[in-house]
Coordinates of all heavy atoms in Angstrom, one line a residue:
M176 N 21.0 2.2 -8.5 CA 20.1 2.8 -7.6 C 19.3 3.9 -8.4 O 19.8 4.6 -9.2 CB 20.8 3.5 -6.4 CG 19.9 4.2 -5.5 SD 20.6 4.7 -3.9 CE 22.2 5.4 -4.5
L177 N 18.0 3.9 -8.2 CA 17.1 4.9 -8.9 C 17.4 6.2 -8.3 O 17.6 6.4 -7.1 CB 15.7 4.5 -8.7 CG 15.3 3.1 -9.3 CD1 13.8 2.8 -8.9 CD2 15.5 3.1 -10.8
E178 N 17.3 7.2 -9.1 CA 17.5 8.6 -8.6 C 16.5 9.0 -7.6 O 16.8 9.5 -6.5 CB 17.5 9.6 -9.8 CG 17.8 11.0 -9.4 CD 19.3 11.1 -8.9 OE1 20.2 10.4 -9.4 OE2 19.5 12.0 -8.1
N179 N 15.2 8.8 -7.9 CA 14.2 9.2 -6.9 C 13.0 8.3 -7.1 O 12.4 8.2 -8.1 CB 13.8 10.7 -7.3 CG 13.4 11.5 -6.1 OD1 13.4 11.0 -5.0 ND2 13.1 12.7 -6.4
V180 N 12.6 7.7 -6.0 CA 11.4 6.9 -5.9 C 10.4 7.6 -5.0 O 10.7 7.8 -3.9 CB 11.7 5.4 -5.4 CG1 10.4 4.6 -5.3 CG2 12.7 4.8 -6.3
E181 N 9.3 8.0 -5.6 CA 8.3 8.7 -4.9 C 6.9 8.0 -4.9 O 6.8 7.0 -5.6 CB 8.2 10.1 -5.4 CG 9.5 10.9 -5.3 CD 9.4 12.3 -5.9 OE1 8.4 12.7 -6.5 OE2 10.4 13.0 -5.8
S182 N 6.0 8.6 -4.2 CA 4.7 8.0 -4.1 C 4.0 7.8 -5.5 O 3.1 7.0 -5.7 CB 3.8 8.7 -3.2 OG 3.6 10.1 -3.6
N183 N 4.4 8.6 -6.5 CA 3.8 8.5 -7.8 C 4.6 7.6 -8.7 O 4.4 7.6 -9.9 CB 3.7 9.9 -8.4 CG 5.1 10.6 -8.7 OD1 6.1 10.1 -8.2 ND2 5.1 11.7 -9.4
Y184 N 5.4 6.7 -8.1 CA 6.1 5.7 -8.9 C 5.2 4.9 -9.8 O 4.2 4.4 -9.4 CB 6.9 4.8 -7.9 CG 7.7 3.7 -8.7 CD1 8.9 4.0 -9.3 CD2 7.2 2.4 -8.8 CE1 9.6 3.0 -9.9 CE2 7.9 1.4 -9.4 CZ 9.1 1.7 -10.0 OH 9.8 0.7 -10.7
N185 N 5.6 4.7 -11.0 CA 4.8 4.0 -12.0 C 5.2 2.5 -11.9 O 6.3 2.1 -12.3 CB 5.1 4.6 -13.4 CG 4.2 3.9 -14.5 OD1 3.6 2.9 -14.3 ND2 4.1 4.6 -15.6
C186 N 4.3 1.7 -11.5 CA 4.6 0.2 -11.3 C 4.9 -0.5 -12.6 O 5.5 -1.6 -12.6 CB 3.4 -0.4 -10.6 SG 3.3 0.0 -8.8
S187 N 4.6 0.1 -13.8 CA 4.9 -0.5 -15.0 C 6.4 -0.6 -15.2 O 6.9 -1.3 -16.0 CB 4.2 0.2 -16.2 OG 4.8 1.5 -16.4
N188 N 7.2 0.2 -14.5 CA 8.6 0.2 -14.5 C 9.2 -0.8 -13.6 O 10.4 -1.1 -13.7 CB 9.2 1.6 -14.1 CG 8.8 2.7 -15.1 OD1 8.6 2.4 -16.3 ND2 8.6 3.9 -14.6
A189 N 8.5 -1.4 -12.7 CA 9.0 -2.4 -11.7 C 9.6 -3.6 -12.4 O 10.6 -4.1 -11.8 CB 7.9 -2.8 -10.8
S190 N 9.1 -4.0 -13.5 CA 9.7 -5.2 -14.1 C 11.1 -5.0 -14.6 O 11.9 -6.0 -14.8 CB 8.8 -5.7 -15.3 OG 8.8 -4.7 -16.3
T191 N 11.5 -3.8 -14.8 CA 12.9 -3.4 -15.1 C 13.7 -2.9 -13.9 O 14.8 -3.4 -13.7 CB 12.9 -2.3 -16.2 OG1 12.2 -2.8 -17.4 CG2 14.3 -2.0 -16.6
D192 N 13.0 -2.1 -13.1 CA 13.7 -1.4 -12.0 C 14.1 -2.4 -10.9 O 15.2 -2.4 -10.4 CB 12.9 -0.3 -11.4 CG 12.7 0.9 -12.3 OD1 13.6 1.0 -13.3 OD2 11.8 1.7 -12.1
L193 N 13.1 -3.3 -10.6 CA 13.4 -4.2 -9.5 C 14.5 -5.2 -9.7 O 15.4 -5.3 -8.9 CB 12.1 -5.0 -9.1 CG 12.1 -5.7 -7.8 CD1 12.4 -4.8 -6.6 CD2 10.7 -6.3 -7.6
P194 N 14.6 -5.9 -10.9 CA 15.8 -6.7 -11.1 C 17.1 -5.9 -11.1 O 18.1 -6.5 -10.6 CB 15.5 -7.3 -12.5 CG 14.0 -7.2 -12.7 CD 13.6 -6.0 -11.9
N195 N 17.1 -4.7 -11.7 CA 18.3 -3.9 -11.7 C 18.7 -3.6 -10.2 O 19.9 -3.6 -9.9 CB 18.1 -2.6 -12.5 CG 18.0 -2.9 -13.9 OD1 18.4 -3.9 -14.4 ND2 17.4 -1.9 -14.7
L196 N 17.8 -3.2 -9.4 CA 18.1 -2.9 -8.0 C 18.6 -4.1 -7.3 O 19.5 -4.0 -6.5 CB 16.9 -2.3 -7.3 CG 16.5 -0.9 -7.7 CD1 15.1 -0.5 -7.1 CD2 17.5 0.1 -7.2
L197 N 18.0 -5.3 -7.5 CA 18.4 -6.5 -6.8 C 19.8 -6.9 -7.2 O 20.6 -7.3 -6.4 CB 17.4 -7.6 -7.1 CG 16.0 -7.5 -6.4 CD1 15.0 -8.5 -7.0 CD2 16.1 -7.6 -4.9
Q198 N 20.1 -6.7 -8.5 CA 21.5 -7.0 -9.0 C 22.5 -6.0 -8.4 O 23.5 -6.5 -8.0 CB 21.5 -6.9 -10.5 CG 22.9 -7.3 -11.1 CD 22.9 -7.2 -12.6 OE1 22.0 -6.6 -13.2 NE2 23.9 -7.7 -13.2
E199 N 22.1 -4.8 -8.3 CA 23.0 -3.8 -7.8 C 23.2 -4.1 -6.3 O 24.4 -4.0 -5.8 CB 22.4 -2.4 -8.0 CG 23.3 -1.3 -7.5 CD 22.8 0.1 -7.9 OE1 21.7 0.2 -8.5 OE2 23.4 1.1 -7.4
L200 N 22.2 -4.4 -5.6 CA 22.3 -4.8 -4.2 C 23.2 -6.0 -4.0 O 24.1 -5.9 -3.1 CB 20.9 -5.1 -3.6 CG 20.9 -5.5 -2.1 CD1 21.4 -4.4 -1.2 CD2 19.5 -5.9 -1.7
E201 N 23.1 -7.0 -4.8 CA 23.9 -8.2 -4.7 C 25.4 -7.8 -4.9 O 26.3 -8.3 -4.2 CB 23.5 -9.2 -5.6 CG 24.2 -10.5 -5.5 CD 23.7 -11.6 -6.5 OE1 22.6 -11.6 -6.9 OE2 24.5 -12.5 -6.9
Q202 N 25.6 -7.0 -5.9 CA 27.0 -6.6 -6.2 C 27.6 -5.8 -5.1 O 28.8 -6.1 -4.7 CB 27.1 -5.8 -7.5 CG 26.8 -6.7 -8.7 CD 26.6 -5.8 -10.0 OE1 26.5 -4.6 -9.9 NE2 26.6 -6.5 -11.1
L203 N 26.9 -4.9 -4.5 CA 27.4 -4.1 -3.4 C 27.6 -4.9 -2.2 O 28.6 -4.7 -1.4 CB 26.4 -2.9 -3.1 CG 26.4 -1.8 -4.1 CD1 25.3 -0.8 -3.8 CD2 27.8 -1.1 -4.1
E204 N 26.7 -5.9 -1.9 CA 26.9 -6.7 -0.7 C 28.1 -7.6 -0.9 O 28.9 -7.8 0.1 CB 25.6 -7.6 -0.5 CG 24.5 -6.9 0.0 CD 23.2 -7.7 0.1 OE1 23.0 -8.7 -0.6 OE2 22.4 -7.3 1.0
Q205 N 28.4 -8.1 -2.1 CA 29.6 -8.9 -2.3 C 30.8 -8.1 -2.1 O 31.8 -8.5 -1.5 CB 29.6 -9.6 -3.7 CG 28.5 -10.7 -3.8 CD 28.4 -11.2 -5.2 OE1 29.1 -10.8 -6.1 NE2 27.6 -12.2 -5.4
A206 N 30.8 -6.9 -2.6 CA 32.0 -6.0 -2.5 C 32.2 -5.5 -1.1 O 33.3 -5.2 -0.7 CB 31.8 -4.8 -3.5
A207 N 31.1 -5.5 -0.3 CA 31.2 -4.9 1.0 C 31.8 -5.9 2.0 O 32.0 -5.6 3.2 CB 29.8 -4.5 1.5
H208 N 32.0 -7.2 1.6 CA 32.5 -8.2 2.6 C 33.8 -7.8 3.1 O 34.2 -8.3 4.2 CB 32.4 -9.6 1.9 CG 31.1 -10.2 1.9 ND1 30.6 -11.0 2.8 CD2 30.0 -10.0 1.0 CE1 29.4 -11.4 2.6 NE2 29.0 -10.8 1.4
S209 N 34.6 -7.0 2.4 CA 35.9 -6.7 2.9 C 35.9 -5.5 3.8 O 36.9 -5.0 4.2 CB 36.8 -6.3 1.7 OG 36.3 -5.3 0.9
G210 N 34.7 -5.0 4.2 CA 34.6 -3.9 5.1 C 33.7 -2.8 4.4 O 33.8 -2.6 3.2
Q211 N 33.0 -2.1 5.2 CA 32.0 -1.2 4.7 C 32.3 0.2 5.3 O 32.4 0.4 6.5 CB 30.6 -1.5 5.0 CG 30.1 -2.8 4.4 CD 28.7 -3.2 4.8 OE1 28.2 -2.7 5.8 NE2 28.0 -4.0 4.1
S212 N 32.4 1.2 4.4 CA 32.4 2.6 4.8 C 31.0 3.0 5.2 O 30.0 2.4 4.8 CB 33.0 3.5 3.8 OG 32.2 3.6 2.7
E213 N 30.9 4.1 5.8 CA 29.6 4.7 6.2 C 28.8 5.0 4.9 O 27.6 4.8 4.8 CB 29.7 6.0 7.0 CG 28.4 6.6 7.4 CD 27.6 5.7 8.3 OE1 28.1 4.9 9.0 OE2 26.3 5.8 8.2
E214 N 29.5 5.5 3.9 CA 28.8 5.7 2.6 C 28.3 4.5 1.9 O 27.2 4.5 1.4 CB 29.8 6.4 1.6 CG 29.2 6.8 0.3 CD 30.2 7.5 -0.6 OE1 31.1 8.2 -0.1 OE2 30.1 7.4 -1.8
Q215 N 29.0 3.4 2.0 CA 28.6 2.1 1.4 C 27.3 1.6 2.2 O 26.4 1.1 1.6 CB 29.7 1.1 1.5 CG 30.8 1.3 0.5 CD 31.9 0.4 0.7 OE1 32.4 0.1 1.8 NE2 32.5 -0.2 -0.4
V216 N 27.4 1.7 3.5 CA 26.2 1.3 4.3 C 25.0 2.1 4.0 O 23.9 1.6 3.8 CB 26.6 1.5 5.9 CG1 25.3 1.3 6.7 CG2 27.7 0.5 6.3
Q217 N 25.1 3.4 3.8 CA 24.0 4.3 3.4 C 23.5 3.9 2.0 O 22.3 3.9 1.8 CB 24.4 5.7 3.5 CG 24.6 6.2 4.9 CD 25.0 7.7 4.9 OE1 25.1 8.4 3.9 NE2 25.4 8.2 6.1
Q218 N 24.4 3.6 1.1 CA 24.0 3.2 -0.3 C 23.2 1.9 -0.2 O 22.2 1.8 -0.9 CB 25.2 3.2 -1.2 CG 24.8 2.9 -2.6 CD 25.9 3.0 -3.6 OE1 27.1 3.0 -3.2 NE2 25.6 3.0 -4.9
L219 N 23.7 0.9 0.5 CA 23.0 -0.3 0.7 C 21.6 -0.1 1.3 O 20.6 -0.7 0.8 CB 23.8 -1.3 1.6 CG 25.0 -2.0 0.9 CD1 25.9 -2.6 2.0 CD2 24.6 -3.0 -0.1
N220 N 21.5 0.7 2.3 CA 20.2 1.0 2.9 C 19.3 1.7 1.9 O 18.1 1.3 1.9 CB 20.4 1.8 4.2 CG 21.0 1.0 5.3 OD1 20.9 -0.2 5.3 ND2 21.6 1.7 6.2
R221 N 19.7 2.6 1.1 CA 18.9 3.3 0.2 C 18.4 2.3 -0.9 O 17.2 2.3 -1.2 CB 19.6 4.4 -0.5 CG 19.8 5.7 0.3 CD 20.3 6.9 -0.5 NE 21.6 6.7 -1.0 CZ 22.7 7.0 -0.4 NH1 22.7 7.5 0.8 NH2 23.9 6.8 -1.0
I222 N 19.2 1.4 -1.4 CA 18.8 0.4 -2.3 C 17.8 -0.5 -1.7 O 16.7 -0.8 -2.3 CB 20.0 -0.4 -2.9 CG1 20.8 0.6 -3.8 CG2 19.5 -1.6 -3.8 CD1 22.1 0.0 -4.2
R223 N 18.0 -1.0 -0.5 CA 17.1 -1.9 0.2 C 15.7 -1.2 0.4 O 14.7 -1.8 0.2 CB 17.6 -2.3 1.5 CG 18.7 -3.3 1.4 CD 19.2 -3.8 2.8 NE 20.3 -4.7 2.7 CZ 21.5 -4.5 3.2 NH1 21.8 -3.4 4.0 NH2 22.5 -5.3 3.1
N224 N 15.8 0.1 0.7 CA 14.5 0.9 0.9 C 13.8 1.0 -0.4 O 12.5 0.9 -0.4 CB 14.8 2.2 1.5 CG 15.2 2.2 3.0 OD1 14.9 1.2 3.6 ND2 15.9 3.2 3.4
Q225 N 14.5 1.2 -1.5 CA 13.8 1.3 -2.8 C 13.2 0.0 -3.2 O 12.0 0.0 -3.7 CB 14.8 1.8 -3.9 CG 15.2 3.2 -3.7 CD 16.2 3.6 -4.8 OE1 16.9 2.8 -5.4 NE2 16.4 5.0 -5.0
I226 N 13.9 -1.1 -3.0 CA 13.3 -2.4 -3.3 C 12.0 -2.6 -2.5 O 11.0 -3.1 -3.0 CB 14.4 -3.5 -3.0 CG1 15.5 -3.4 -4.1 CG2 13.7 -4.9 -3.0 CD1 16.7 -4.3 -3.7
H227 N 12.1 -2.3 -1.2 CA 11.0 -2.5 -0.3 C 9.8 -1.6 -0.7 O 8.7 -2.1 -0.8 CB 11.4 -2.2 1.1 CG 10.3 -2.4 2.1 ND1 9.9 -3.7 2.5 CD2 9.6 -1.6 2.8 CE1 9.0 -3.6 3.4 NE2 8.7 -2.3 3.6
F228 N 10.1 -0.4 -1.1 CA 9.0 0.5 -1.5 C 8.3 0.0 -2.8 O 7.1 0.0 -2.8 CB 9.6 1.9 -1.8 CG 8.6 2.9 -2.3 CD1 7.8 3.6 -1.5 CD2 8.5 3.1 -3.7 CE1 6.9 4.5 -2.0 CE2 7.6 4.0 -4.2 CZ 6.8 4.7 -3.4
I229 N 9.1 -0.4 -3.8 CA 8.5 -0.9 -5.0 C 7.7 -2.1 -4.8 O 6.6 -2.2 -5.3 CB 9.6 -1.1 -6.1 CG1 10.3 0.2 -6.5 CG2 9.1 -1.9 -7.3 CD1 11.5 0.1 -7.4
R230 N 8.2 -3.0 -4.0 CA 7.5 -4.3 -3.7 C 6.1 -4.0 -3.0 O 5.1 -4.6 -3.3 CB 8.3 -5.2 -2.9 CG 9.3 -6.0 -3.7 CD 10.1 -7.0 -2.9 NE 10.9 -7.8 -3.7 CZ 12.0 -8.3 -3.3 NH1 12.5 -8.2 -2.1 NH2 12.7 -9.1 -4.2
N231 N 6.2 -3.1 -2.1 CA 4.9 -2.7 -1.3 C 4.0 -2.0 -2.2 O 2.8 -2.3 -2.3 CB 5.3 -1.9 -0.1 CG 5.8 -2.7 1.0 OD1 5.6 -3.9 1.1 ND2 6.4 -2.1 2.0
K232 N 4.4 -0.9 -2.9 CA 3.6 -0.1 -3.7 C 2.9 -0.9 -4.9 O 1.8 -0.8 -5.2 CB 4.3 1.1 -4.3 CG 3.4 1.9 -5.3 CD 4.0 3.3 -5.5 CE 3.2 4.1 -6.5 NZ 1.8 4.3 -6.1
C233 N 3.7 -1.8 -5.5 CA 3.3 -2.5 -6.7 C 2.7 -3.9 -6.3 O 2.5 -4.7 -7.2 CB 4.4 -2.6 -7.7 SG 5.0 -1.0 -8.2
D234 N 2.6 -4.2 -5.0 CA 2.1 -5.5 -4.5 C 2.9 -6.7 -5.1 O 2.3 -7.6 -5.6 CB 0.6 -5.6 -4.8 CG -0.1 -6.7 -3.9 OD1 0.5 -7.0 -2.9 OD2 -1.1 -7.2 -4.4
I235 N 4.2 -6.6 -5.0 CA 5.1 -7.7 -5.5 C 5.6 -8.5 -4.3 O 6.2 -7.9 -3.4 CB 6.3 -7.1 -6.3 CG1 5.7 -6.3 -7.5 CG2 7.2 -8.2 -6.8 CD1 6.8 -5.5 -8.2
P236 N 5.3 -9.8 -4.2 CA 5.8 -10.5 -3.1 C 7.3 -10.7 -3.1 O 7.9 -10.7 -4.1 CB 5.1 -11.9 -3.3 CG 4.7 -12.0 -4.7 CD 4.6 -10.6 -5.2
H237 N 7.8 -10.8 -1.8 CA 9.2 -11.0 -1.6 C 9.6 -12.4 -2.0 O 8.9 -13.4 -1.6 CB 9.6 -10.7 -0.2 CG 11.1 -10.8 0.1 ND1 11.9 -11.8 -0.3 CD2 11.9 -9.9 0.7 CE1 13.1 -11.6 0.1 NE2 13.1 -10.4 0.7
E238 N 10.6 -12.6 -2.8 CA 11.1 -13.9 -3.2 C 12.0 -14.4 -2.2 O 12.9 -13.7 -1.7 CB 11.8 -13.9 -4.6 CG 10.8 -13.4 -5.7 CD 11.6 -13.2 -7.0 OE1 12.8 -13.5 -7.1 OE2 10.9 -12.8 -8.0
S239 N 11.9 -15.6 -1.8 CA 12.8 -16.2 -0.7 C 14.1 -16.5 -1.3 O 14.3 -16.9 -2.3 CB 12.1 -17.5 -0.1 OG 10.9 -17.1 0.5

């Protein structure tokens, strides 16, 4: 998860940040199948929000 994603995010970092976030999300989702604590749910939501923000800001389409 990125420390801080703000409106001044530099889209040139998206080619590195987005794959890292997607991989982290996948790993957390797999680990969470055995039950999720409130902290895990919040971390998953933060990562999803960061992915959504980067895709919107940098005009990157969602891959199916």
Side-chain angles (χ1 to χ4, degrees):
M176 180 170 44
L177 300 175
E178 185 63 34
N179 212 1
V180 177
E181 298 178 356
S182 60
N183 63 349
Y184 177 79
N185 185 342
C186 287
S187 67
N188 296 328
S190 64
T191 302
D192 291 342
L193 194 54
N195 289 342
L196 286 168
L197 289 167
Q198 181 180 15
E199 187 175 353
L200 177 64
E201 183 179 334
Q202 289 171 348
L203 285 172
E204 286 176 334
Q205 289 175 358
H208 283 264
S209 60
Q211 296 178 340
S212 69
E213 182 62 29
E214 183 178 327
Q215 288 171 316
V216 170
Q217 289 178 8
Q218 186 174 9
L219 283 167
N220 287 336
R221 282 192 297 272
I222 292 171
R223 287 181 184 122
N224 287 340
Q225 288 180 341
I226 291 168
H227 184 73
F228 175 84
I229 291 170
R230 283 183 169 150
N231 282 340
K232 177 163 178 58
C233 303
D234 198 26
I235 299 171
H237 186 308
E238 297 173 2
S239 297

